[in-house]
Amino acid sequence: MILSNAEQKIIEDSIRDIKDFPKEGIVFKDITTLLNNKEAYGVLMNHLYQRYKGYNLDYVAGIDARGFIFGAALAQMLGLGFVPIRKKGKLPYTTISEKYALEYGVDEIEVHIDAFGENKGARVLIIDDLIATGGTANAAATLVKQAGATCVECCFVIGLAFLDGIKKLQEKTDVYCLIEEN
Ligand code: AMP
């Protein structure tokens, strides 16, 4: 299921670029203007539902924090459970964690050890708002595997294709971006 040009334009036009946030040289993709635009949010969620309803998924996993918004809504539409992949120190039960490199330093994300149930090989879609260097999504895909599940695809509203994050992640799993910035 491919997004039509008209649908893509509605979503693209609803995302606001904020220059030099959170620091100089970064163009921050603000999706709050997509979320409060009922047409754009509706087009986006309907497209995701149409795309993924045939994927035979067991769970949708969202990456902290904007991945929760799309992931939780999509899981409910698909009749699936939702799993949060959180920043370190937020999950209360036993976790498995994965570190990843930032421009300066490292960060860490975690998932509950039993998040994908007892049965090994649960089919999981990972979702986030944006992929830049791919470090976060790569760590998320590793966590899903370590938790005994299978990452079927990583989905992003926006892919920054001028960085090589998408290419790197494609070595590990299928990747789908609704909008790619070159
Ligand atoms: P990365 O690990 O480099 O792929 O960064 C992806 C994570 O950082 C996602 O959770 C995004 O929400 C956030 N992020 C990175 N760059 C931007 C950007 N230019 N605009 C908005 N969010 C960003």
Side-chain angles (χ1 to χ4, degrees):
M1 165 69 61
I2 301 296
L3 198 63
S4 74
N5 288 342
E7 289 173 323
Q8 193 170 36
K9 187 169 169 17
I10 290 168
I11 296 168
E12 213 163 351
D13 288 351
S14 74
I15 298 166
R16 177 162 62 182
D17 284 2
I18 310 285
K19 283 202 182 102
D20 298 324
F21 183 88
K23 57 184 180 187
E24 228 182 297
I26 305 280
V27 179
F28 192 87
K29 296 286 174 184
D30 177 15
I31 53 120
T32 64
T33 45
L34 185 166
L35 295 171
N36 74 4
N37 177 329
K38 65 183 175 195
E39 185 190 17
Y41 192 27
V43 165
L44 172 77
M45 292 313 304
N46 182 54
H47 171 69
L48 292 176
Y49 172 72
Q50 295 300 334
R51 178 178 177 83
Y52 289 112
K53 68 180 182 189
Y55 269 58
N56 198 21
L57 296 168
D58 296 306
Y59 297 92
V60 177
I63 298 177
D64 202 339
R66 290 180 290 272
F68 297 170
I69 301 165
F70 304 112
L74 180 62
Q76 204 279 329
M77 289 169 90
L78 292 168
L80 301 174
F82 172 76
V83 172
I85 296 177
R86 298 221 62 182
K87 294 272 167 66
K88 189 180 169 55
K90 302 285 184 186
L91 290 171
Y93 185 59
T94 310
T95 58
I96 45 179
S97 64
E98 183 71 13
K99 290 194 175 74
Y100 58 97
L102 297 174
E103 199 179 349
Y104 300 103
V106 289
D107 214 338
E108 197 165 347
I109 51 173
E110 299 184 323
V111 73
H112 276 148
I113 194 158
D114 60 352
F116 302 108
E118 301 272 296
N119 297 336
K120 295 289 167 202
R123 290 171 60 79
V124 178
L125 173 74
I126 294 175
I127 190 161
D128 201 359
D129 64 331
L130 181 142
I131 177 167
T133 66
T136 317
N138 242 294
T142 301
L143 282 182
V144 166
K145 200 172 170 195
Q146 281 174 358
T150 301
C151 174
V152 175
E153 188 157 270
C154 284
C155 172
F156 306 92
V157 180
I158 308 148
L160 301 186
F162 55 86
L163 301 170
D164 59 0
I166 298 172
K167 270 197 209 126
K168 268 194 277 171
L169 187 60
Q170 278 169 338
E171 292 168 14
K172 204 173 210 170
T173 179
D174 285 344
V175 178
Y176 177 62
C177 302
L178 281 91
I179 294 163
E180 284 198 15
E181 294 242 335
N182 294 296

